[in-house]
């Protein structure tokens, strides 16, 4: 992964951030996988969250999360979205916890891994 957005400790801000993934012979199809946590403190303030992703502009099906905890967003990516030497993956959530006096960042997910693997 060439760029992972804003990193402070283990927190990665994904809202409207683009992830560049360098391909190494991905073949015709791939599986995109994002492992993350929705912290209780965030969920208790903003409620259910919908996560969306797009690969080189191709929108993948969104997924809604209605509780705090650890999750995996996994989607098959068609070969047509994998053209070129690098693949741009855009992640977004429908809402975030806005900045506060204690923290100037928008908060939502804590990402533990992002992967794009050949199928």
């Amino acid at each position: 992964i060439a760029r992972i957005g804003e990193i402070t400790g283990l927190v990665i801000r994904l809202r409207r951030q683009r992830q560049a993934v360098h391909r190494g012979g991905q073949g015709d199809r791939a599986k995109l996988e994002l492992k993350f946590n929705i912290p209780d403190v965030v969920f208790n303030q903003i409620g259910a969250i919908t996560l969306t992703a797009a690969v080189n502009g191709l929108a993948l099906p969104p997924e809604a999360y209605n509780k705090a905890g650890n999750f995996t967003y996994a989607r098959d990516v068609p070969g047509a979205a994998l053209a070129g030497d690098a693949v741009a993956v855009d992640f977004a959530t429908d809402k975030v916890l806005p900045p506060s006096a204690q923290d100037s960042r928008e908060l939502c997910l804590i990402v533990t891994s992002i992967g794009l693997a050949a199928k």
Side-chain angles (χ1 to χ4, degrees):
I1 297 174
R3 189 176 136 238
I4 302 185
E6 174 185 306
I7 301 176
T8 305
L10 295 177
V11 178
I12 302 172
R13 187 181 77 176
L14 292 177
R15 189 168 199 219
R16 291 180 176 52
Q17 295 295 313
R18 176 166 285 190
Q19 314 308 314
V21 180
H22 293 283
R23 295 183 58 219
Q26 291 293 330
D28 291 337
R29 298 179 55 90
K31 182 174 183 176
L32 175 66
E33 193 171 89
L34 176 75
K35 293 184 180 186
F36 63 96
N37 175 273
I38 301 173
D40 287 324
V41 67
V42 172
F43 184 82
N44 291 341
Q45 293 186 51
I46 65 174
I49 296 164
T50 298
L51 176 66
T52 60
V55 177
N56 280 346
L58 175 70
L60 301 176
E63 189 162 340
Y65 300 91
N66 58 10
K67 63 181 180 180
N70 295 316
F71 300 96
T72 300
Y73 172 88
R75 295 292 183 266
D76 288 337
V77 180
L82 302 173
D85 293 334
V87 175
V89 180
D90 295 296
F91 293 99
T93 59
D94 62 335
K95 52 191 159 184
V96 297
L97 189 61
S100 66
Q102 295 80 24
D103 194 332
S104 62
R105 301 169 296 160
E106 292 179 326
L107 302 175
C108 190
L109 310 177
I110 299 173
V111 174
T112 56
S113 72
I114 301 171
L116 184 64
K119 283 194 75 170

